[in-house]
Amino acid sequence: MTTDQAEQGAFVRAPLGVQERITADGSSPWPVEAGRYRLVVARACPWANRTVIVRRLLGLEDAFSLGIAGPLHDERSWRFHNDPGDKDPVLGIEYLGEAYRAADPDYSAGVTVPAMVEIASGKVVSNDYANMTLDFSTQWTAFHRDGAPDLYPEALRAEIDEINEGVFHDVNNGVYKCGFATSQEAYDKAYTALFRRLDLLADRLATRRYLMGDTITEADVRLWVTLARFDAVYHGHFKCNRSKLSEMPVLWAYARDLFQTPGFGDTIDFAQIKQHYYGVHHQVNPSGVVPLGPDLRNWLDPHDREQLGGRPFGDGTPPGPVREGERVPPLS
């Protein structure tokens, strides 16, 4: 995540510095190859959370390993401060920035997660979060598990892309536009767009279980990672406070439905999410104090979305248990 500021106090997300892609068709320098890469994420980051969910739903755990940076970082980048010796056990680095500089000693753009790193060279291959999960669905098919769902069905791609575009600008990035705005005009514009989009999404989801109908797709993954963080951080920390998610009945039930679906809630660590946002964004929260609330056990309340029918994984099956070393603390 990056925090460039534009004119008139509006937040503009900085461009990515390593936009290569890993492909199966020879269209990039980086081929799909099991065991060659390590996906580096942070539990706190919604963009990284998308990749963790899709990797798990598709069963790609054996195709590429998972490195998890801690929730705190400084000007030197994301740090593996939750790992033994403060180093990633596979890459042997303390800061993710080391892998970026291995790829380019003069690298000066943002050090972001998610990042795919070539294990042998220690070089970042890609931080292209916009396409990474799509490539998991379309380029890594040889390594999908039996029963993997089709998260990006060809017949629906144009509609999924259209929904994702609006969700990105107004919701995924919209909460940041609210939180990092430095003028009232920029904040008001972002706030209005955010809740207008959420109202439209609620209308869409009032009569269908998922954004595309009966089954989970890439569109649901992208929306859900922002909804999952809404009450814990965006409502207060980023001033997205027209209403809490838990006060928006359709979206709240939809979000709980997915939270209770294997592959979603079992990727969420609310403690790390709060530690990151409140502990790192000093321009928003100078004290660094992390709030104790809200009580998040209501994520386990019944959602009753089954009444809309649908099959979460379509013709596929749920993913298996979370791998050892990748589990998150359960809600208590």
Side-chain angles (χ1 to χ4, degrees):
M1 294 181 287
T2 54
T3 56
D4 262 1
Q5 293 295 110
E7 295 178 0
Q8 290 85 46
F11 167 76
V12 176
R13 186 163 295 278
L16 296 174
V18 190
Q19 296 192 61
E20 294 282 6
R21 296 172 71 172
I22 299 171
T23 61
D25 59 7
S27 60
S28 82
W30 303 101
V32 165
E33 183 180 327
R36 181 168 178 171
Y37 308 101
R38 184 164 175 82
L39 172 64
V40 177
V41 302
R43 294 291 187 191
C45 175
W47 318 100
N49 195 178
R50 293 174 4 180
T51 64
V52 178
I53 292 169
V54 173
R55 173 180 176 268
R56 176 153 158 62
L57 292 179
L58 298 179
L60 290 170
E61 292 93 338
D62 290 331
F64 47 84
S65 60
L66 187 69
I68 305 173
L72 302 177
H73 63 68
D74 55 28
E75 69 280 356
R76 290 169 290 184
S77 80
W78 293 93
R79 180 173 174 239
F80 297 96
H81 60 87
N82 284 343
D83 285 309
D86 294 335
K87 290 188 176 183
D88 179 88
V90 172
L91 301 174
I93 57 176
E94 183 178 0
Y95 288 92
L96 179 57
E98 298 173 50
Y100 278 79
R101 289 187 293 277
D104 178 2
D106 299 320
Y107 185 82
S108 60
V111 175
T112 61
V113 288
M116 290 290 272
V117 181
E118 185 183 40
I119 295 171
S121 67
K123 298 177 179 180
V124 166
V125 169
S126 176
N127 67 348
D128 186 0
Y129 66 86
N131 288 302
M132 200 174 288
T133 50
L134 301 182
D135 289 341
F136 291 175
S137 284
T138 61
Q139 302 298 314
W140 289 83
T141 53
F143 300 99
H144 287 184
R145 66 179 175 86
D146 291 339
D150 187 355
L151 300 176
Y152 196 48
E154 193 163 357
L156 298 177
R157 287 179 188 177
E159 188 176 358
I160 290 173
D161 292 346
E162 182 180 3
I163 290 174
N164 287 347
E165 183 75 6
V167 167
F168 170 79
H169 288 292
D170 296 339
V171 181
N172 300 147
N173 205 36
V175 293
Y176 288 87
K177 293 177 185 177
C178 290
F180 291 127
T182 57
S183 73
Q184 191 68 50
E185 180 183 6
Y187 168 75
D188 291 354
K189 182 178 179 181
Y191 176 100
T192 300
L194 167 66
F195 284 102
R196 181 189 299 122
R197 181 70 61 179
L198 290 176
D199 288 342
L200 290 171
L201 291 165
D203 289 344
R204 182 181 182 94
L205 289 163
T207 57
R208 61 179 76 193
R209 190 166 178 185
Y210 307 107
L211 285 170
M212 298 306 301
D214 289 340
T215 61
I216 294 166
T217 66
E218 173 81 18
D220 298 293
V221 175
R222 296 193 181 205
L223 172 61
W224 186 81
V225 294
T226 297
L227 298 182
R229 289 158 174 76
F230 204 91
D231 287 4
V233 289
Y234 300 146
H235 177 269
H237 183 59
F238 277 175
K239 308 182 191 71
C240 302
N241 60 357
R242 187 197 74 178
S243 48
K244 296 177 181 177
L245 175 66
S246 57
E247 296 167 344
M248 295 182 268
V250 172
L251 291 177
W252 175 223
Y254 163 80
R256 292 201 314 282
D257 185 3
L258 287 173
F259 184 89
Q260 296 169 33
T261 299
F264 286 83
D266 52 28
T267 70
I268 291 291
D269 187 323
F270 284 116
Q272 290 199 27
I273 288 169
K274 293 196 297 181
Q275 286 168 7
H276 171 73
Y277 282 91
Y278 286 99
V280 169
H281 298 155
H282 300 299
Q283 70 271 49
V284 180
N285 186 42
S287 70
V289 172
V290 179
L292 294 177
D295 187 345
L296 298 163
R297 290 174 293 181
N298 54 0
W299 278 97
L300 300 177
D301 289 349
H303 53 76
D304 299 324
R305 296 279 292 179
E306 303 96 334
Q307 297 175 10
L308 294 171
R311 299 175 300 149
F313 303 102
D315 293 331
T317 58
V322 179
R323 295 291 179 93
E324 187 68 34
E326 298 183 7
R327 297 178 186 144
V328 297
L331 286 180
S332 59

